[in-house]
Amino acid sequence: MVEIKTDAALDAMRVAGRVVADALAAAQAAAAPGVRLLDLDEAARTVLREAGAGSPFLNYQPSFATTPFPAVLCTSVNDAIVHGIPDATRLRDGDLVSIDCGALVDGWAGDAAVSFTVGTARPEDQRLMDTTRQALEAGIAAAVVGARIGDISHAIGSVGRAAGYGIPRDFGGHGIGRQMHEDPSVPNDGRPHRGFPLRHGLVIAIEPMFLAGGKHTYYEDSNGWTLRTTDASRAAHFEHTVAVTDEGPRVLTTV
């Protein structure tokens, strides 16, 4: 069931979204060669705690997971696509890192992700990140009243396919509101003019994930959470929580 939010709910979700943006910024600022992934998680935890926000990630256990997620931040490095678990691994110069964070404030959720390079970026990694960010922007631009979910999916997929990147088809965006994951599903590729119609008050998380090697395949790490590219190529992931409004797309997860 798809819940259409009131304008007051959109304003409340903006509060949660701002906390998410602050947490991601703090985690990225903490990233440097030699820093542990656990330290990035702690930076995000501090922001959530000081904002009085909860974490929809911590102890989250969907049907596919054998154990609850143990952190407030996903830290996916190099060939990890999404759902990386923060641990004692230390970052190295040139690592491509994707971080994903959520927040719960007064019963409303926000969710966003960003990719960046630690230290010096390889040109091919910069192109991957730039393209994935462009796909997010294309998806957001397509999130207008009167369009359909398929228009967002097509906009994202067109950018990825044109660049020759792989798109993990089983994972994509989603509705969001009182829960982190709600209907409708927002695939990262698809046919235009198909799917759920977009109307004022629909809130979705749009999150392209592209794989540098061009393959769409992935495997699940032994930790039961992290998804990795089957060819060991690198991956990038960007995400925003976006409200469809009569005035155009409203991005809720910015500072």
Side-chain angles (χ1 to χ4, degrees):
M1 181 177 178
V2 177
E3 179 189 8
I4 301 301
K5 278 69 176 180
T6 65
D7 288 346
L10 299 186
D11 290 340
M13 291 187 70
R14 175 70 179 107
V15 175
R18 189 175 287 111
V19 174
V20 172
D22 288 342
L24 287 174
Q28 183 173 349
V35 172
R36 303 176 306 161
L37 296 179
L38 282 169
D39 297 326
L40 306 191
D41 185 67
E42 182 55 38
R45 285 176 188 256
T46 298
V47 171
L48 295 181
R49 183 170 57 249
E50 291 180 350
S55 169
F57 287 22
L58 184 63
N59 296 321
Y60 179 59
Q61 188 173 7
S63 58
F64 66 79
T66 57
T67 58
F69 195 77
V72 305
L73 190 73
C74 293
T75 54
S76 305
V77 181
N78 296 333
D79 66 322
I81 306 167
V82 287
H83 304 162
I85 296 177
D87 58 18
T89 299
R90 294 187 181 275
L91 293 169
R92 297 176 297 178
D93 184 73
D95 279 343
L96 196 167
V97 183
S98 299
I99 54 175
D100 189 352
C101 189
L104 290 168
V105 179
D106 294 331
W108 295 101
D111 186 12
V114 64
S115 294
F116 59 90
T117 298
V118 177
T120 306
R122 305 189 309 183
E124 58 269 35
D125 289 345
Q126 190 63 56
R127 175 176 178 267
L128 174 64
M129 290 186 291
D130 289 345
T131 303
T132 311
R133 187 186 297 107
Q134 290 165 11
L136 173 60
E137 293 169 354
I140 293 171
V144 296
V145 171
R148 291 179 176 267
I149 289 293
D151 295 308
I152 298 173
S153 302
H154 181 70
I156 293 170
S158 295
V159 174
R161 284 184 277 104
Y165 293 137
I167 304 171
R169 298 253 185 342
D170 297 330
F171 287 84
H174 49 87
I176 183 171
R178 296 189 182 278
Q179 304 294 325
M180 178 172 60
H181 291 141
E182 298 182 352
D183 290 333
S185 175
V186 186
N188 283 327
D189 200 8
R191 299 174 65 182
H193 318 307
R194 301 293 182 92
F196 191 83
L198 308 185
R199 52 179 288 197
H200 181 91
L202 176 68
V203 184
I204 51 178
I206 301 174
E207 51 177 323
M209 311 161 196
F210 290 164
L211 317 184
K215 295 183 177 180
H216 308 305
T217 53
Y218 58 88
Y219 70 94
E220 186 179 274
D221 202 332
S222 59
N223 64 22
W225 275 98
T226 308
L227 303 184
R228 296 186 181 276
T229 61
T230 54
D231 59 2
S233 65
R234 294 188 170 192
H237 175 208
F238 285 85
E239 176 184 16
H240 271 308
T241 295
V242 181
V244 178
T245 79
D246 291 330
E247 291 74 39
R250 181 183 179 189
V251 179
L252 302 180
T253 43
T254 56
V255 175

